[in-house]
Amino acid sequence: MNTRIFKTLDGPDLIVKSRRSAVIFEIDKNQDTNEYNLIMKFSPEDYKELMKYLEEASNKSWASLIPKEATSFGAEYFEYYDKELDNNGYLWTRENNTLSISRPSLDSTRLYQFNKKKMESFIYDFRKQFK
């Protein structure tokens, strides 16, 4: 599993892990705020670097990943079901280099786990912020 840490401006850092068929957002257990809802604001440079890294990691995790607009609920990244934690998590991009994440459980440092379809729509929306 490949891991990279992205520093936020005022909260816990975002850990991005990638492996075959998954890209996962986590926080460090030592930075855990015990909050369900996290707002992660990045510098413009770090936000662009996060996008670049997500594209690279995703292309290694899945063959023929094609960023595209979500056309079904299964492809929409806003909500995902974490089978292991038996709960939903939520993710959305905001203005000013910010991600909002509602994690599925306080018992885990996992914030969000992408499948291929959700990552395709996430990268599609992420790219739109830089045009």
Side-chain angles (χ1 to χ4, degrees):
M1 184 172 298
N2 296 317
T3 302
R4 179 131 178 229
I5 299 171
F6 291 87
K7 299 280 183 197
T8 62
L9 295 176
D10 55 2
D13 297 334
L14 177 65
I15 300 170
V16 180
K17 294 183 176 181
S18 62
R19 60 176 162 79
R20 188 172 182 269
S21 300
V23 174
I24 303 160
F25 286 175
E26 293 185 354
I27 55 173
D28 186 287
K29 64 181 177 181
N30 295 322
Q31 289 187 314
D32 195 340
T33 63
N34 286 317
E35 299 280 332
Y36 275 104
N37 300 313
L38 300 172
I39 296 175
M40 301 181 121
K41 185 168 176 60
F42 300 88
S43 71
E45 298 80 20
D46 287 340
Y47 202 61
K48 286 180 185 177
E49 186 62 29
L50 172 61
M51 184 182 90
K52 180 180 171 186
Y53 181 76
L54 287 175
E55 289 196 41
E56 291 170 4
S58 297
N59 285 317
K60 290 177 184 174
S61 294
W62 298 285
S64 64
L65 183 104
I66 301 169
K68 54 188 162 192
E69 190 169 11
T71 57
S72 69
F73 181 72
E76 176 56 57
Y77 63 85
F78 171 71
E79 179 179 30
Y80 93 104
Y81 176 71
D82 192 303
K83 191 159 99 173
E84 181 183 331
L85 300 174
D86 192 29
N87 208 353
N88 290 338
Y90 302 89
L91 168 68
W92 57 102
T93 60
R94 299 173 64 179
E95 293 179 351
N96 301 318
N97 311 313
T98 303
L99 297 177
S100 290
I101 301 172
S102 182
R103 61 201 272 195
S105 173
L106 292 178
D107 295 331
S108 173
T109 57
R110 182 169 43 234
L111 303 176
Y112 193 96
Q113 182 168 322
F114 289 93
N115 62 27
K116 182 178 178 181
K117 291 291 184 192
K118 291 183 184 300
M119 183 56 83
E120 286 177 334
S121 66
F122 184 74
I123 290 174
Y124 178 85
D125 285 352
F126 213 44
R127 283 180 178 175
K128 286 193 315 188
Q129 294 182 7
F130 296 100
K131 290 185 179 184

